Every structure is written in structure tokens, then in C-alpha cells.
Amino acid sequence: MKKQIVKEFITVKKVRYLPREPPPPPPPPPRRVLVVGRCALDVITICNEHPVPGSKERTTEGFWRPGGYAANTCCVLRRLGTDCEFLGLLSSAPAFESITTSFQSMGIDISNCPRSARQPPHRSIVVVRGKQTRTIVEYSNRDHELTYQQFVGAVDYRKYSWIHFESRNNRETLRMIRAVHEYNARSPDENILLSVDLADLKPLSLLMADLANYVLIRKRLSKANGYMNGRETVWAVRERMQVMRKRWQATQPKKSPYIAEDKPQLDPATCENGGHEPCLIYDNYEEGASCLSPDNTYFKVGGQKPPEILDTIGEHETFVGAFIYAMQGDKMSLRDAMEYGTRAAVFKIAQRGFEGLRCMPRDLISCYYA
């Protein structure tokens, strides 16, 4: 009997074109800077001498423009080319429409800002020509401040890499900062840097500053408390923050004494900020910006002298905006970012408004040859 051999043939179909690989997913959109605070209408009058009370004087120079620390910081960021967003309570009054139009013309996103029908906050500023003195009369109250519920309902944390808070309405702002900390704990890969503009040494202001990565101290805080220089200012603020942190810990409820064996014991000195110390930066273009790093290392950058003094309104906001741009956009070191902010503040003082910051060099090396 002959063996029957069964041969199996495998037919391979000839394919002329292989299927294309699926396209890679689109990259996530670049994250922007969010500035939380207040926007006001500034009416600026420039005089040769300070007006005498009860007298009537005439001046030929004056203008009005958007004002407020947070709004001015956004203007500086946009003039330097940083994508930013302003979040604050805006008025729907007719006199405020020009401010919203100017925001939109500069490219500042205000789509998430809640609106109010109340009268807008405004400031009357009298500036003495050629001097660094000015008188400010401000109309503002709690009805013009952003609340925690409005902040949570408007913010998508995935869109931001840096959030800067103006030191206003401290109780509500403290809740906002804690909400950002909770997001950072849930999403460590999308960590958001926090900075706080410190204007006073009130208890809630110090608690806000203790939760930030960078604390930017205003010059008026140093003058109001009688500090002699930047070194004394940053060390005094650090001591006050540590005292307030201990008081905050003393008011917290005691936890159960039982500690599981597989869990490490927590240091009782750690606070809700994760146990880190914020970086304290004092802005002063005359003597140079001072810094106290989280490891208590103090250093300062050299002071700058402006060629002339035309407009000191917005000097601190210019330093803050330039510092955030240098750290977040240009990825400078901390020392270089402080020097860049100091040079930007001097550059702004020598001109009116923030329009001239478009000509500001975008890196520190170019500033040496400008």
C-alpha cells in the first residue's frame, strides 16, 4: 500500500501597500500663567508740585488706563511675550468696557472672569513730575473681590503651569491656594508653581505665603515695618512665617496616637505646605533684589539706576512679571531671573506705561548690551 503523502500548501497573498501606522496623538497645548487678583480703573494726573489741600490747580498731562497689581502683572507678561490669563471680578459698567477691550487687544484671556453690575473699583493717582512720590485714593470693597467658589468654578488646573496670587481678600485666597495644593497632590506630574505677592504681615497673609513656592515682597512692607535693607526684610519675614506656622499647628486637632508600623512617622514640624520653606524675594531696584532660598541661603543682585524717573506706577508689578517670565518662559536660574526683573523695573521707570516693555530684551545677556 502506497503511502499517501499529503502536502499542505500555504498561500501568501501579495500585499502591495502595507497599512499606515496610526498618527501619534497631538501634543498637549502649552500651559500658561494665571494671575488671580483685582482689576481697577486708574485715573492718573501728573503735576509739577503736590496740590495744596483746598486749592485748585490745572495740569496739562494726565491719562487713565487699566490698573491693579494683578492686571498690571498680566500687562507686563504679555508685553514680554508670555501667554497669560487674568482671573478677577470684572464690572459690566460702561466705563469699564474700554478696560476689557484693552485686555482683549493685548491678548490677555479674560473669558473665565465673572461679571458684576456694581460700580467698578477705581483709583485716583496724583503723581509729582520727576519724583518718586505719588498719592493714591482708592475706591474698593469686598464686593469687588473674587471668591473661592468663583475661582473653583472657573479654573481648569491642567491649563496652567504657574499661578500668581495677589494678596487681597486673604481668607478666600488662602482657600484657593489650598485647592491648588490638593490638585498638585493628585497630579504630581502636572505640578503647578505658586507665587504670592506679599503686601503686609497679617496672619492670613503669612499663612498664604507659607504655602507658595515664591513669595515676592513689596517695598512698602519693608518701609511700613522699619526694616533697614533687603537682608533684614527677608529674614524678618521668614521668622514671622515660622512663628505663624507654629501657631497654626497648635490650633489643629490632635490625631490618633496609633501609628501603623509600615508607615513612617511624620515630622511634627511639617505643615500643610509639605514641610518646605518658600523662597523669599524682596524687590528693590536701587539696592538690588534680595533673596532667601528655602535652605536659608541669602544672596542679592546688584542695584540699577534709571537714566530718568518718569513713571513709578507699576514698578513692582514689572519686577514680578519679568521674574515669572524669566523663570517660567526663558528657564533662567533664580539669580538671573532676579537680575532680569530688576533691569525690567528700571527699564519701565524711564517711560510711561507698559508699552515700552515690548522693546525689552528677551534674555539677560542682551540686557548687558542694550
Side-chain angles (χ1 to χ4, degrees):
M1 185 177 177
K2 295 182 180 180
K3 295 180 179 180
Q4 294 181 356
I5 301 175
V6 179
K7 295 183 180 180
E8 297 180 358
F9 296 94
I10 301 176
T11 59
V12 179
K13 187 177 181 181
K14 199 172 185 181
V15 179
R16 181 172 296 180
Y17 299 106
L18 294 176
R20 295 181 180 179
E21 296 182 357
R31 300 196 293 171
R32 59 176 63 170
V33 177
L34 175 65
V35 183
V36 182
R38 187 177 60 86
C39 177
L41 177 64
D42 283 357
V43 180
I44 304 172
T45 305
I46 302 173
C47 306
N48 293 324
E49 297 293 339
H50 198 277
V52 179
S55 65
K56 180 180 178 180
E57 297 186 14
R58 182 182 297 273
T59 180
T60 58
E61 189 175 2
F63 51 93
W64 59 276
R65 67 188 184 195
Y69 284 97
N72 289 342
T73 303
C74 276
C75 293
V76 174
L77 287 168
R78 281 306 299 155
R79 295 310 181 201
L80 295 176
T82 301
D83 188 15
C84 65
E85 178 180 346
F86 171 78
L87 182 59
L89 189 63
L90 297 181
S91 175
S92 56
F96 217 72
E97 293 180 358
S98 59
I99 294 182
T100 57
T101 303
S102 65
F103 275 155
Q104 295 170 354
S105 64
M106 286 186 289
I108 299 174
D109 187 6
I110 57 173
S111 58
N112 294 323
C113 293
R115 304 299 176 111
S116 172
R118 300 183 180 93
Q119 290 296 325
H122 53 270
R123 304 190 301 176
S124 179
I125 305 175
V126 178
V127 180
V128 179
R129 185 180 284 107
K131 297 181 181 179
Q132 300 187 40
T133 59
R134 60 180 182 267
T135 303
I136 301 177
V137 180
E138 179 178 1
Y139 163 69
S140 178
N141 52 43
R142 291 297 179 90
D143 296 335
H144 301 132
E145 307 294 347
L146 187 73
T147 64
Y148 168 74
Q149 296 297 336
Q150 292 170 337
F151 173 82
V152 174
V155 170
D156 182 4
Y157 299 107
R158 298 171 297 177
K159 296 166 50 179
Y160 311 112
S161 61
W162 190 303
I163 300 181
H164 177 72
F165 289 92
E166 182 185 352
S167 182
R168 300 189 67 90
N169 198 8
N170 295 338
R171 191 175 299 277
E172 295 291 312
T173 306
L174 183 59
R175 298 179 63 190
M176 301 176 196
I177 297 176
R178 285 173 175 164
V180 180
H181 270 268
E182 293 175 1
Y183 172 79
N184 287 340
R186 295 192 305 264
S187 305
D189 296 337
E190 298 179 355
N191 185 63
I192 300 176
L193 293 177
L194 295 173
S195 59
V196 171
D197 190 21
L198 188 61
D200 52 58
L201 296 178
K202 296 178 181 179
L204 289 178
S205 299
L206 294 173
L207 288 177
M208 285 170 41
D210 194 48
L211 295 177
N213 300 101
Y214 299 94
V215 179
L216 300 152
I217 305 172
R218 299 183 190 175
K219 191 187 302 182
R220 77 178 190 187
L221 183 148
S222 178
K223 294 181 178 179
N225 292 274
Y227 301 138
M228 300 297 295
N229 48 41
R231 184 187 187 94
E232 185 178 352
T233 301
V234 294
W235 277 109
V237 172
R238 172 62 55 83
E239 292 176 0
R240 295 288 293 270
M241 290 173 59
Q242 291 174 349
V243 170
M244 187 53 56
R245 186 187 311 162
K246 292 180 180 179
R247 291 181 182 176
W248 179 86
Q249 292 172 355
T251 60
Q252 299 306 301
K254 302 296 182 181
K255 296 184 179 180
S256 173
Y258 173 75
I259 299 177
E261 296 181 356
D262 57 343
K263 294 183 179 180
Q265 297 186 6
L266 297 177
D267 184 3
T270 58
C271 185
E272 56 178 342
N273 62 355
H276 78 280
E277 292 282 357
C279 181
L280 305 181
I281 299 173
Y282 171 65
D283 163 35
N284 192 330
Y285 70 89
E286 296 175 335
E287 68 175 69
S290 301
C291 175
L292 187 61
S293 62
D295 59 352
N296 289 335
T297 301
Y298 170 81
F299 64 90
K300 62 176 295 186
V301 299
Q304 303 292 328
K305 185 177 180 181
E308 58 179 339
I309 299 176
L310 289 181
D311 184 10
T312 60
I313 302 173
E315 167 219 332
H316 176 73
E317 298 92 295
T318 304
F319 175 86
V320 173
F323 174 80
I324 295 175
Y325 158 78
M327 293 289 293
Q328 190 266 348
D330 207 33
K331 305 298 182 183
M332 296 185 190
S333 64
L334 179 59
R335 184 185 293 271
D336 290 347
M338 290 170 55
E339 184 172 354
Y340 184 81
T342 303
R343 290 180 176 270
V346 172
F347 190 83
K348 182 257 171 294
I349 289 174
Q351 54 193 318
R352 300 286 184 196
F354 302 100
E355 295 292 334
L357 290 175
R358 294 178 176 178
C359 303
M360 178 75 185
R362 295 296 187 266
D363 59 276
L364 185 59
I365 296 179
S366 301
C367 292
Y368 296 137
Y369 303 98

